[in-house]
Amino acid sequence: MKVALLSGGVGGARFARGVTAAVDPADVTVIGNVGDDLEVLGMAVSPDLDSILYALAGLNDDERGWGRADESWRALETVSALGGEDWFRLGDRDLGLHLVRTQALRAGEPLSSVTRRLARAVGIEARLLPATDDRQRTWIDTPAGSFPFQEWFVARGHRDDVDGVRFEGECTPAPGVLEALGEADVIVIAPSNPYVSIWPILAVPRIRGSLRDREVPCIAVSPLVGGHAVKGPADRMLARMAGGTSPAHVASCYAGLIDALVVDEADPRDPLAIRAVVTQTLMTDLAASRRLAETVLAAA
Ligand code: FO1
């Protein structure tokens, strides 16, 4: 079964790992969000692609949810001591990846090509693609002003309420993205924050068009458990921007694009305009991620 998975960072990366355990990884294409990419200390950082890459390679830090396991922070200590930019924490091992990517991008290599090389180098069998090779940046509109995504998320600790989300950049899909969506037997939207992880992918017009015109099922997994985000601000954003945190509110983020929504047993069983699949969605370990992926794929 060929799977095309749209994914953000932490939750999406965990789910992606489950999908590659549930089916042949060679049949999986993960299309990652790049709206939260940023430049730190002159380096090009793609946090969501990296979370997925580290998770698929088994190199991720499970507790933190981002970055690498067995990380050290010596370079960052030096940066801090020298009064450098240290609000976005890059670990020593992580830095190595950013150096390689930044050099390649500066030499003119597209992000999708560098990502393919990095994924191969860490032994990933699945295909990992950025949604676009173009520069895309997510902006968050709040009562305190508009902020680039990571400034709101990390520097301000996502404390500001969100009035709106915007995506800067006119983007076309990265090579392979439309093909993966066209060849898939099922398209899956990972349990990621709809607004800041999945919407940037859907903001690429031809990706949205491909989902709208799909001939195969598209199934989204809700990132909420009992109306609460496992991590991050998705519940607050849904309450404010969609008017609530029920499965219907989550589904409204993907109107016209999905055929089913996978929701947790702890969520209300209100009738949905689309099919609801009820299961345990909390991914406490790899076995739980795999079980969730199997349930999602069986629902296709
Ligand atoms: N998240 C934080 O909350 N604080 C950080 O300092 C931080 C650094 C970081 C470095 C590399 C990386 O790949 C991710 C990092 N993240 C950090 C996570 C990231 O900001 C978010 O999880 C995603 O952008 C949202 O999906």
Side-chain angles (χ1 to χ4, degrees), residues 8-10 36 45-48 50-51 54 66-67 87-90 94 98 149-150 153-154 197:
V10 181
D36 60 5
V45 184
S46 294
D48 282 5
D50 295 346
S51 294
Y54 291 146
W66 51 268
W87 63 277
F88 198 79
R89 298 170 54 217
L90 299 179
D94 196 25
H98 304 312
F149 176 78
Q150 298 292 357
F153 191 83
V154 173
S197 296

Side-chain angles (χ1 to χ4, degrees), residues 73-177:
W73 305 90
R74 306 297 292 269
L76 188 69
E77 282 161 25
T78 306
V79 169
S80 299
L82 296 174
E85 189 183 7
D86 62 358
W87 63 277
F88 198 79
R89 298 170 54 217
L90 299 179
D92 297 333
R93 291 180 188 276
D94 196 25
L95 266 167
L97 184 151
H98 304 312
L99 288 169
V100 172
R101 173 167 48 218
T102 303
Q103 185 190 33
L105 292 176
R106 286 211 183 124
E109 188 174 349
L111 181 60
S112 55
S113 167
V114 194
T115 305
R116 183 169 56 238
R117 284 199 295 115
L118 295 172
R120 272 207 202 117
V122 295
I124 293 174
E125 277 183 73
R127 204 148 45 128
L128 173 58
L129 297 173
T132 179
D133 276 339
D134 301 318
R135 182 188 159 92
Q136 186 190 47
R137 291 293 183 269
T138 298
W139 283 81
I140 307 294
D141 296 330
T142 82
S146 294
F147 302 100
F149 176 78
Q150 298 292 357
E151 206 173 310
W152 168 73
F153 191 83
V154 173
R156 298 178 67 86
H158 47 77
R159 64 175 182 265
D160 318 272
D161 287 332
V162 180
D163 293 324
V165 178
R166 288 178 290 119
F167 309 104
E168 181 192 330
E170 280 185 21
C171 305
T172 55
V177 168

